[in-house]
Amino acid sequence: MTMEQRCPDVFPLFVKSNRNMVKAWLFNLVVLSIMVAGCGAPKEKKVDDFLILQKDDHSFANFNEVRVNHISLDLTVDFDQKVLSGSARLSLNNRAKTNTLVLDVGNLSIKEIILDNGDSTTFSLGKESEIFGQSLSIDIEPNTEWVEIMYATSPDAKALQWLSPEQTLGKEHPFLFSQSQAILARTWVPCQDGPGVKFTYDAKITTDSSLIALMSAENGTTKNADGIYTFKMDQPISSYLLALTVGDLEYQKMGRNSGVFAEPAMLEKSVYELESMQRMIDSAETLYGPYAWEQYDVVILPPSFPFGGMENPRLTFATPTIIAGDRSLVSLIAHELAHSWSGNLVTNETWNDFWLNEGFTVYFEQRIMEKIYGSSYERMLTKLGMGDLVNTIAELEKEGRVADTHLYLELDGRDPDDGLTDVAYEKGRFFLQTVESIVGRERFDSFLRTYFTVNKFKPMNTERFINYLNDNLLSDEESVDLGADEWIYGPGLPDNCPEPFSEELDKVESSLAKYNNGLIRADELVTDGYTTHHWLYFLRGLRNLDMNRMTELDAAFSFTETGNSEIACDWFKHAVEQSYKPAYPAMASFLKSVGRRKFLTPIYSRLAATPENKLWAKEVYELARPSYHSVSYLTIDGILK
Ligand code: BES
Ligand code: ZN
């Protein structure tokens, strides 16, 4: 057998890569040396069922020597001290028979660590980094099967937000939620905090009996008289999917295997808004195969939740800003649900491969939305996505961050948050749309179904995905047409990207052309039948604004008073750029009540551009900051410093 026969996926790289010759050479060199060393298959390096992972720039853990495969948590929630305290027992697969287990921790106070033989063991903490936290090196025996770590979190653990009763809707009970992605799990659970490591878990959480605790696991749906809640997650997950929330939450079943948790005052509205949830699950299953996690619930969190949604397994965490009253922002649920396949089942191996999570998910979200709401609606969403992408690429280029417009990211030494741009999401989506346009929908769907089945519960990296794509879908000619290397290791948007088209948004486009050129007044615009997405396209396409035009637009369409968070955010961006003061009180209350970073960043950044606005922003921020999660306030601190 020649080497080429044994490793058919390696050599095409020599031929196919043009731009990325050096990378390909290096990769092949590594693969060749592995093969020379007598270790055959380069696709997925495995040693006795132990998948060898790529180096993770954002984790200290020695996961290629010893791997954590199960975590048992026993934690008590103390709202007065704002700490979780108790223990984490980590089960180990010590392949290399090493004497040291290295974990990631962030601001944890470690009380004691014991081994499976009952002995207390020694440990040391590494140098602290603001972004990465610290390493925790634990002395173990080559045959140690588990270690138990007694610890407490810090009151300012970055993952956790502790809300006072006044910061909730009901005003009576405190509230806690976690946000672990990307590398914040280490601030509440000592673990191997890289997405390539997968483990099962169980937990016992003790809290006040007036509250319910929920996790990214099998949950109960009602409060317990003793405040003790137990959880089980039997499918392996990555640490960034560890999640906990505790509060006064009630549940309503939505369908066969779906339901919603929310604060009592929010439950009815949430149930109305998320009416399509069960249909989304059913559609997703017909597209890409069975839902692997049994139950799919959503918890609507208080408005300080820093993201739109977070795909915690079995229990998506969501911002209340999607509860618009007209079901117009529910594509976010399709997105988080889609992660149950792309991300939670097949997981980006490192944060450099983030597009494998988000790009696939946006593509999948688009397919779910098309199935449920039709292609006209889907095309509006896709065209808006292209608009975001074009702006993001232009901005990154302006900031000299061209490498961040590649799909494969180089985040070494940086916060993985730097990779959280529309490039992973939208360029990723359009890359997959390009594949679809080359091979046709039928072949692509069947490829994706197999891809999710074959790779479920495993990490995936960019190189392995491209090899898999070439081996299982593309002919040589199609592979040349696609030019994957240019998409993945090259800047901006390749020429073969399909141009999104939306007949609905074209109507808005022609209104905009007239209005932007001063041919008609705001009250002459024909906006009958406009949905949220028509309005967003309209707001994003406005040019040549001034004070008079802001005033007449507001008089015609009451943008300042809108209850729709997406519309509000786009309007406030214009308000800041034009210093349109009538919108400022509403903008101040928006900034004080909503902690979703995607809205805060563009508004505060624009405010920071002039001294007068910056002063106003700082006053608002002083009041608002205590209600933001660390993910948001650390970003805004940087903008207003
Ligand atoms: N997993 C992400 C959120 C995330 C990414 C948190 C990286 C931390 C680091 C989630 O699925 C997401 O993409 N949320 C989006 C909504 C979506 C509809 C684009 C958000 O929060 O805006
Ligand atoms: Zn996502």
Side-chain angles (χ1 to χ4, degrees):
M1 186 193 274
T2 66
M3 284 203 293
E4 209 158 346
Q5 280 166 325
R6 270 198 293 163
C7 310
D9 59 321
V10 175
F11 289 85
L13 262 177
F14 275 122
V15 186
K16 280 172 194 158
S17 74
N18 36 20
R19 270 174 194 265
N20 216 43
M21 219 37 171
V22 177
K23 247 196 185 104
W25 270 98
L26 279 174
F27 174 68
N28 283 314
L29 214 68
V30 171
V31 173
L32 273 173
S33 47
I34 291 165
M35 291 189 311
V36 169
C39 153
K43 254 193 199 162
E44 218 183 53
K45 275 183 281 160
K46 264 190 176 177
V47 183
D48 301 337
D49 229 24
F50 189 113
L51 186 67
I52 300 297
L53 300 172
Q54 291 194 323
K55 170 174 166 292
D56 186 323
D57 298 332
H58 305 106
S59 170
F60 298 107
N62 59 343
F63 45 69
N64 280 335
E65 296 171 9
V66 48
R67 185 85 40 98
V68 172
N69 53 31
H70 184 83
I71 299 183
S72 284
L73 294 171
D74 184 347
L75 296 171
T76 299
V77 184
D78 183 340
F79 278 99
D80 294 329
Q81 303 298 316
K82 301 188 176 168
V83 298
L84 301 175
S85 63
S87 63
R89 178 188 287 200
L90 278 51
S91 305
L92 308 177
N93 178 357
N94 191 351
R95 181 189 67 86
K97 301 287 171 219
T98 171
N99 286 305
T100 317
L101 166 68
V102 186
L103 302 176
D104 296 295
V105 293
N107 242 323
L108 297 183
S109 135
I110 311 288
K111 312 260 150 76
E112 189 188 6
I113 303 180
I114 57 170
L115 302 183
D116 51 2
N117 59 14
D119 291 348
S120 190
T121 188
T122 43
F123 60 90
S124 64
L125 287 162
K127 194 164 162 276
E128 205 169 341
S129 140
E130 181 51 37
I131 300 173
F132 306 115
Q134 288 170 287
S135 61
L136 167 62
S137 303
I138 304 171
D139 296 320
I140 58 170
E141 303 289 335
N143 60 356
T144 298
E145 288 185 356
W146 53 260
V147 300
E148 186 162 330
I149 303 166
M150 265 52 78
Y151 73 102
T153 60
S154 141
D156 43 40
K158 282 189 193 167
L160 304 177
Q161 189 175 14
W162 301 84
L163 299 175
S164 65
E166 301 74 56
Q167 291 171 311
T168 67
L169 212 54
K171 313 276 177 225
E172 257 180 61
H173 301 281
F175 202 101
L176 166 69
F177 66 80
S178 67
Q179 169 57 41
S180 297
Q181 198 180 7
I183 53 169
L184 304 181
R186 63 191 69 178
T187 71
W188 68 288
V189 179
C191 62
Q192 297 185 318
D193 198 10
V197 176
K198 295 200 180 215
F199 54 88
T200 50
Y201 81 91
D202 65 78
K204 176 178 159 215
I205 303 288
T206 306
T207 185
D208 193 285
S209 64
S210 62
L211 307 173
I212 186 171
L214 304 171
M215 293 191 82
S216 49
E218 215 174 304
N219 283 298
T221 56
T222 51
K223 289 173 190 164
N224 277 339
D226 56 7
I228 297 175
Y229 297 88
T230 55
F231 303 91
K232 212 160 57 96
M233 172 44 86
D234 287 336
Q235 288 111 321
I237 63 158
S238 308
S239 55
Y240 76 92
L241 298 171
L242 280 169
L244 169 68
T245 180
V246 181
D248 180 19
L249 293 163
E250 278 177 5
Y251 183 72
Q252 185 161 326
K253 188 175 157 77
M254 299 290 289
R256 177 174 52 85
N257 62 336
S258 58
V260 178
F261 289 94
E263 282 196 69
M266 196 63 184
L267 190 59
E268 203 183 314
K269 280 187 216 153
S270 306
V271 166
Y272 175 83
E273 205 78 17
L274 305 187
E275 162 276 336
S276 60
M277 247 173 90
Q278 186 65 50
R279 275 182 292 144
M280 286 183 179
I281 301 169
D282 299 343
S283 301
E285 289 195 303
T286 62
L287 280 168
Y288 300 128
Y291 177 74
W293 311 86
E294 295 166 28
Q295 184 69 20
Y296 181 73
D297 294 326
V298 172
V299 56
I300 302 294
L301 293 169
S304 66
F305 186 58
F307 290 102
M310 177 64 215
E311 65 272 27
N312 299 314
R314 298 180 71 116
L315 182 65
T316 284
F317 283 20
T319 169
T321 61
I322 58 162
I323 312 298
D326 60 2
R327 301 172 174 165
S328 65
L329 302 178
V330 295
S331 62
L332 184 133
I333 300 297
H335 178 96
E336 304 312 334
L337 169 68
H339 272 305
S340 307
W341 287 258
S342 44
N344 300 3
L345 265 194
V346 185
T347 309
N348 54 203
E349 187 165 321
T350 73
W351 296 119
N352 293 339
D353 305 299
F354 185 51
W355 76 275
L356 289 177
N357 271 21
E358 298 300 342
F360 272 72
T361 297
V362 175
Y363 176 79
F364 194 169
E365 164 197 347
Q366 163 192 337
R367 296 293 304 278
I368 296 171
M369 292 307 285
E370 181 191 310
K371 257 194 182 303
I372 297 188
Y373 298 97
S375 55
S376 167
Y377 185 79
E378 175 277 309
R379 285 203 289 268
M380 286 203 275
L381 296 172
T382 303
K383 192 163 168 90
L384 283 163
M386 177 56 90
D388 289 340
L389 177 59
V390 168
N391 291 338
T392 298
I393 290 175
E395 250 167 63
L396 290 170
E397 281 169 354
K398 213 170 80 195
E399 291 169 21
R401 291 172 57 189
V402 175
D404 287 346
T405 72
H406 303 184
L407 282 177
Y408 182 75
L409 297 166
E410 312 260 4
L411 293 167
D412 194 7
R414 293 197 282 159
D415 192 324
D417 246 29
D418 287 5
L420 186 43
T421 74
D422 283 316
V423 172
Y425 288 78
E426 295 294 344
K427 186 177 174 183
R429 172 238 295 266
F430 286 112
F431 172 63
L432 297 173
Q433 254 194 36
T434 307
V435 179
E436 186 202 310
S437 74
I438 290 171
V439 303
R441 186 165 270 198
E442 213 176 302
R443 272 174 66 203
F444 192 43
D445 280 354
S446 116
F447 164 82
L448 285 178
R449 255 192 303 274
T450 311
Y451 169 73
F452 288 127
T453 312
V454 171
N455 297 294
K456 66 180 173 198
F457 301 114
K458 284 196 215 161
M460 178 56 66
N461 63 49
T462 302
E463 248 155 21
R464 280 223 318 279
F465 172 69
I466 294 306
N467 289 339
Y468 186 87
L469 184 72
N470 284 324
D471 290 351
N472 296 285
L473 183 65
L474 303 178
S475 67
D476 286 351
E477 200 181 316
E478 287 164 339
S479 177
V480 171
D481 287 349
L482 176 61
D485 278 358
E486 193 183 340
W487 277 90
I488 289 170
Y489 304 108
L493 248 193
D495 292 339
N496 62 353
C497 181
E499 175 78 36
F501 158 80
S502 157
E503 60 285 16
E504 283 301 311
L505 296 184
D506 279 354
K507 287 187 220 159
V508 182
E509 191 84 55
S510 59
S511 290
L512 274 170
K514 289 184 225 151
Y515 185 70
N516 284 338
N517 293 314
L519 304 176
I520 52 172
R521 292 190 318 268
D523 60 5
E524 291 170 320
L525 282 159
V526 183
T527 60
D528 305 333
Y530 268 27
T531 64
T532 296
H533 299 95
H534 294 87
W535 285 118
L536 293 177
Y537 195 74
F538 177 78
L539 285 164
R540 290 170 197 180
L542 284 171
R543 301 285 179 271
N544 310 323
L545 289 176
D546 59 22
M547 208 48 156
N548 286 335
R549 306 188 110 219
M550 289 295 289
T551 310
E552 69 158 15
L553 282 166
D554 211 8
F557 306 119
S558 307
F559 288 128
T560 297
E561 307 308 324
T562 179
N564 185 298
S565 57
E566 295 279 350
I567 293 177
C569 178
D570 280 343
W571 176 246
F572 292 146
K573 290 196 253 179
H574 288 307
V576 174
E577 280 170 355
Q578 305 305 324
S579 281
Y580 174 68
K581 293 294 158 66
Y584 278 41
M587 182 162 61
S589 70
F590 184 82
L591 294 172
K592 282 187 259 181
S593 62
V594 174
R596 185 173 171 189
R597 184 172 65 176
K598 178 187 125 176
F599 295 148
L600 303 180
T601 306
I603 298 177
Y604 279 114
S605 316
R606 281 167 180 75
L607 284 165
T610 69
E612 190 196 349
N613 274 331
K614 189 167 183 180
L615 201 67
W616 183 86
K618 283 188 164 177
E619 280 166 23
V620 173
Y621 186 48
E622 201 180 309
L623 300 172
R625 191 180 186 278
S627 66
Y628 293 168
H629 184 277
S630 78
V631 159
S632 291
Y633 71 69
L634 291 172
T635 301
I636 309 304
D637 284 355
I639 292 171
L640 293 181
K641 72 173 178 291

